[in-house]
């Protein structure tokens, strides 16, 4: 939904949307196969399930915050680049 809204918005660049799509791809573990050998491994695959909270959950929360923290400087850099391009034109 956020990516579709980004395409509809005139304030987002294609680079920002591509980076957001990459972050969603990484965070959702799209490229990894589901672990089917063990029920516990399957339930821990995304980090938590219902009341199940363990070390995998903490790692997923840390991964989420890391992607958010990476996004701030990337967005600042892209906005500076965009403002520099508009000033020179």
């Amino acid at each position: 939904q956020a990516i579709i809204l980004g395409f509809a918005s005139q304030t987002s660049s294609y680079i920002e949307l591509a980076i957001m799509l990459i972050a969603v791809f990484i965070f959702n573990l799209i490229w990894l196969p589901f672990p089917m050998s063990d029920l516990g491994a399957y339930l821990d695959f995304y980090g938590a399930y219902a009341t199940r909270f363990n070390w995998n959950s903490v790692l997923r929360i840390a991964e989420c915050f890391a992607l958010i923290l990476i996004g701030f400087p990337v967005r600042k850099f892209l906005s500076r680049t965009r403002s520099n391009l508009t000033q020179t034109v």
Side-chain angles (χ1 to χ4, degrees):
Q1 292 171 347
I3 295 170
I4 292 171
L5 288 174
F7 278 118
S9 170
Q10 299 298 323
T11 60
S12 298
S13 69
Y14 289 119
I15 296 172
E16 288 174 323
L17 294 172
I19 291 170
M20 183 172 47
L21 185 63
I22 291 168
V24 168
F25 184 81
I26 291 170
F27 187 74
N28 286 337
L29 305 175
I30 293 171
W31 71 94
L32 295 175
F34 291 111
M36 297 296 200
S37 60
D38 179 28
L39 179 63
Y42 177 76
L43 293 176
D44 291 337
F45 181 68
Y46 282 113
Y49 178 78
T51 59
R52 187 180 180 103
F53 190 81
N54 55 21
W55 184 245
N56 290 336
S57 306
V58 174
L59 292 177
R60 290 290 287 168
I61 292 168
E63 181 183 9
C64 180
F65 281 120
L67 289 171
I68 291 169
L69 290 175
I70 289 169
F72 282 122
V74 167
R75 186 155 187 190
K76 182 171 266 194
F77 172 76
L78 291 174
S79 69
R80 284 185 184 171
T81 304
R82 187 171 37 240
S83 67
N84 287 342
L85 288 175
T86 58
Q87 289 176 357
T88 59
V89 172

